[in-house]
Amino acid sequence: MKLIFLGPPGAGKGTIADLAVEALCLPHISTGDLFRAAVKDGTPLGLKVKGIMASGGLVPDELTIELVKERLTRRDVEKGWILDGFPRTVPQAEALEGIAGVDKVVNFDVADAIVVDRLAGRRVCRACGKIYHVKNMPPKKEGVCDVDGGELYTRDDDKEAAIKVRLETYRRQTAPLIEWYGKKGTLLTIDGVGAPAEVLGRFEKAIRK
Ligand code: AP5
């Protein structure tokens, strides 16, 4: 099954993808994670995108499409994938049509006030990338990952000014994809508010239909 996760920043796409991958036996491909790994490793791509990401803007389409194209040639994608954070513009969606078909596009519907609270409280493990929230999903020990004891940090783009830019960018460049995929008949919109287990249940029910 080939799934796209769509929704505003902080809607819970990464959290639900992490919960869903085991049951579905599909790789979770997050363009944000791929770019963050490039930044961490100091690759030429990482150096190009570091500033753009920290400010909350989008990486140019050509670079992003190339990254996804390469990732979708790996062997683990034979049975499908969950693409989280791609496409994010109409040109990216058009490019994806030339790379692979898509079965369902899952749109996580969450109001702005909730996503701002989720992003401001997000903490991520520097070592394994596990996502926490200081109130909603706190680690057992403050600042420390439950899985591997790694340090929890705040993403540069989870600071107030960048959150504002990301929400504006989402409205202008990504939200039009809701109508775009709606016309194609592949769109499933689910309520992204509630505990992660509840949202996961809605997601599983929607894709079974
Ligand atoms: P990316 O990493 O994709 O960021 P995003 O889309 O803004 O999404 P987030 O990762 O912020 O949020 P999420 O929906 O995954 O929420 P999460 O599960 O973490 O992209 C980062 C940057 O990379 C972009 O700004 C851009 O620069 C670049 N980029 C990436 N893809 C690109 C593309 N295609 N084109 C161009 N540029 C691209 O949850 C958020 C918080 O909420 C967490 O703390 C979590 O614990 C909590 N939470 C989650 N679910 C719940 C719940 N149900 N209840 C309560 N709390 C919850």
Side-chain angles (χ1 to χ4, degrees):
M1 190 183 300
K2 293 173 181 161
L3 298 172
I4 288 173
F5 278 13
L6 193 65
K13 305 180 292 296
T15 300
I16 300 303
D18 283 342
L19 294 172
V21 284
E22 253 178 65
L24 296 174
C25 287
L26 297 174
H28 169 200
I29 301 175
S30 154
T31 42
D33 286 348
L34 294 174
F35 284 132
R36 275 184 291 278
V39 171
K40 190 175 168 194
D41 295 344
T43 66
L45 175 68
L47 294 175
K48 270 190 208 157
V49 304
K50 188 175 180 191
I52 302 172
M53 291 177 76
S55 68
L58 289 186
V59 174
D61 285 339
E62 320 80 78
L63 290 178
T64 310
I65 291 163
E66 210 37 57
L67 180 82
V68 171
K69 210 172 181 178
E70 192 280 321
R71 180 61 184 84
L72 294 183
T73 60
R74 299 211 198 140
R75 288 187 66 182
D76 65 342
V77 303
E78 272 167 14
K79 289 187 182 148
W81 27 256
I82 297 178
L83 258 185
D84 162 12
F86 182 94
R88 240 176 166 96
T89 64
V90 170
Q92 290 181 14
E94 286 167 348
L96 181 61
E97 286 198 312
I99 302 170
V102 171
D103 295 310
K104 296 283 173 207
V105 177
V106 185
N107 175 39
F108 293 84
D109 187 24
V110 181
D112 280 7
I114 295 177
V115 298
V116 169
D117 177 70
R118 287 185 181 177
L119 293 173
R122 174 164 54 189
R123 301 292 181 268
V124 182
C125 175
R126 221 178 262 291
C128 70
K130 186 170 165 57
I131 305 165
Y132 295 87
H133 187 280
V134 289
K135 279 185 290 169
N136 306 339
M137 276 168 270
K140 290 187 187 116
K141 187 174 172 208
E142 196 184 327
V144 180
C145 178
D146 296 347
V147 179
D148 57 16
E151 180 205 359
L152 303 188
Y153 78 105
T154 301
R155 277 170 41 176
D156 284 344
D157 59 351
D158 281 346
K159 307 215 166 113
E160 204 181 325
I163 292 176
K164 199 162 165 258
V165 175
R166 288 163 70 199
L167 281 171
E168 283 163 9
T169 305
Y170 167 76
R171 268 185 225 109
R172 208 175 51 248
Q173 302 206 59
T174 308
L177 288 175
I178 297 173
E179 196 185 335
W180 201 85
Y181 280 117
K183 283 185 185 154
K184 303 237 170 233
T186 46
L187 187 78
L188 300 168
T189 292
I190 63 167
D191 181 2
V193 182
E198 266 176 73
V199 181
L200 179 70
R202 282 180 212 133
F203 159 74
E204 289 173 339
K205 201 169 156 195
I207 59 163
R208 271 200 303 270
K209 271 189 191 162

